[in-house]
Amino acid sequence: MRLVLLIGAVLLILVASLQGGDDAESWFAIQKVSVEGGLKYSQSAELEQEFSDLLGRSLLDVEIADVLALAKSSPWVENAQVRKVWPDSLTVTVVEHTPLAYWQDRQLISTKAVVFMPHSLPELPLPHLFGPSDSSDIVLEQFGLISQMLSASSLRIASLTLEARGAWNVVFANGIAVKLGREEILERLQRFIAVYKSDLSGRIEGITSVDARYPHGVAVGWKENN
């Protein structure tokens, strides 16, 4: 199939060349750029707009590598493929980033640990991760370890924060905030989970805070009259 298309393209070029001069270029002027792919977070019309400068240029002159670079410059695009459709079109097939979590206030982290900033931040049911600007890999790794530990419980992470001084704080989807400190994070989390399952799960509304930075237990802050 590719061989047939290639032969067809060559024949078109030969015919256009025989017509001579500027007419040959006009035969292959780009009239349309189509964006394809299973788009979930971006709109094909918006992506096509980013290729508007290519319209009117000749397919003979446009380099695939340049179109690829343009496609990958879009925040949501993880990867792309470009195909020339003779005589006058381009087809760009894109693969979007799959967001795993929010990072800081304006960015997202993908399932492949890529940090990116979309033009507008979507509202998604994702956890929020925070930390120093160069700590996304560390925070994401810790998020994975904690999530794995929580898999046998009903607790889910709403936010995870690495402070500049190295301390970790986690807020769960049920509203409980837990201080984990800088050392033995998973061990401290395990102690909290044990206390949560045995004593706290039925009294969530009365809890103000939990401090798990103790060697043999956790300190629970209670609202008045609890």
Side-chain angles (χ1 to χ4, degrees):
M1 183 65 179
R2 289 183 178 179
L3 180 59
V4 173
L5 292 174
L6 179 60
I7 293 173
V10 171
L11 290 174
L12 281 170
I13 293 172
L14 288 174
V15 171
S17 298
L18 291 173
Q19 297 295 321
D22 295 334
D23 290 339
E25 288 292 317
S26 65
W27 272 45
F28 303 107
I30 298 172
Q31 302 297 319
K32 183 179 180 181
V33 180
S34 300
V35 177
E36 300 177 348
L39 301 180
K40 185 176 180 180
Y41 304 102
S42 50
Q43 300 294 322
S44 59
E46 294 178 0
L47 292 175
E48 287 170 4
Q49 183 62 34
E50 299 191 19
F51 300 103
S52 60
D53 289 344
L54 297 174
L55 298 178
R57 292 182 57 184
S58 173
L59 276 181
L60 298 172
D61 298 331
V62 170
E63 297 290 339
I64 294 293
D66 293 338
V67 183
L68 273 175
L70 183 59
K72 292 180 180 179
S73 68
S74 179
W76 276 106
V77 175
E78 176 190 324
N79 207 345
Q81 292 182 334
V82 176
R83 180 165 55 91
K84 292 183 178 181
V85 183
W86 302 94
D88 60 2
S89 301
L90 280 171
T91 296
V92 183
T93 304
V94 303
V95 177
E96 288 182 313
H97 289 294
T98 301
L100 176 66
Y102 290 100
W103 173 245
Q104 310 292 37
D105 296 318
R106 286 286 301 118
Q107 296 172 295
L108 290 163
I109 300 181
S110 77
T111 53
K112 294 186 178 179
V114 176
V115 175
F116 64 102
M117 182 184 293
H119 297 310
S120 60
L121 202 64
E123 293 186 9
L124 301 171
L126 300 174
H128 292 254
L129 307 182
F130 301 93
S133 59
D134 59 348
S135 66
S136 61
D137 288 346
I138 296 173
V139 177
L140 188 58
E141 180 182 11
Q142 190 72 279
F143 170 75
L145 293 172
I146 292 176
S147 296
Q148 185 176 4
M149 183 170 287
L150 295 173
S151 61
S153 74
S154 62
L155 294 166
R156 295 295 179 266
I157 298 172
S159 71
L160 178 66
T161 301
L162 172 61
E163 297 179 357
R165 59 188 182 87
W168 293 88
N169 301 308
V170 60
V171 178
F172 294 105
N174 60 13
I176 295 180
V178 182
K179 295 180 179 179
L180 295 170
R182 290 180 291 181
E183 301 174 352
E184 300 178 342
I185 306 305
L186 297 182
E187 290 83 351
R188 291 171 176 177
L189 178 63
Q190 187 62 58
R191 286 197 294 272
F192 164 74
I193 293 173
V195 174
Y196 175 82
K197 287 182 176 180
S198 62
D199 298 317
L200 302 181
S201 59
R203 298 187 287 172
I204 296 173
E205 293 181 356
I207 299 172
T208 58
S209 62
V210 176
D211 192 339
R213 296 173 296 176
Y214 293 88
H216 303 294
V218 300
V220 180
W222 296 96
K223 296 178 182 177
E224 294 183 8
N225 302 323
N226 282 277

